[in-house]
Amino acid sequence: MSGAEQAVRARALAVLASDAALGGLVHGLFDGTAPRASVPYVAVGAAEGVDWGTKDVAGREVRLTLALVGAGAALDDRAAARIEALVPALRGAADGWRIVGSRVVRTRFAYAKDGGWRHEMIVRCRCLAG
């Protein structure tokens, strides 16, 4: 994982963890899969990066998966909406990178194999070095 992917993950964890409204709607926020968490909870999942640089500035486009696990009730709909509302707050300085754009580019709502519903959001963050 390059520095940009790590920076975006760290920024996402910090932004989501600092939001009291989201904290009141879910039982926890986890970096990766939570083995024993009670639903609903938020998991920051995979990060994929590709080159997004310019002639003179290094850049990466990072796609990050944010998952609301145990979704399905009206309360979970509010949690999903809150996560989506926080995505623009990812913009800014992040561990040597500048996140210059962030938006949800894809969502998926599916029944998880271990039971319950899972609402996944793919967030695209465009980053420039510096």
Side-chain angles (χ1 to χ4, degrees), residues 36-130:
R36 292 188 174 160
S38 58
V39 296
Y41 65 88
V42 178
V44 176
E48 298 177 18
V50 296
D51 180 52
W52 192 73
T54 66
K55 249 178 155 176
D56 56 350
V57 179
R60 300 284 291 169
E61 179 178 288
V62 177
R63 293 194 178 218
L64 179 68
T65 302
L66 302 177
L68 175 60
V69 180
L75 179 67
D76 301 318
D77 292 341
R78 289 196 331 243
R82 186 67 196 148
I83 294 167
E84 194 161 352
L86 290 169
V87 167
L90 296 176
R91 295 182 192 126
D95 295 332
W97 292 85
R98 285 178 299 137
I99 301 173
V100 296
S102 59
R103 63 182 286 195
V104 175
V105 293
R106 187 176 59 145
T107 61
R108 178 178 26 200
F109 192 73
Y111 195 71
K113 67 180 179 182
D114 55 349
W117 289 91
R118 183 177 178 95
H119 187 161
E120 292 182 344
M121 290 171 236
I122 307 300
V123 177
R124 181 187 69 201
C125 293
R126 290 185 170 162
C127 310
L128 294 173

Side-chain angles (χ1 to χ4, degrees), residues 24-42:
L25 296 170
V26 297
H27 292 152
L29 168 68
F30 300 94
D31 186 5
T33 304
R36 292 188 174 160
S38 58
V39 296
Y41 65 88
V42 178

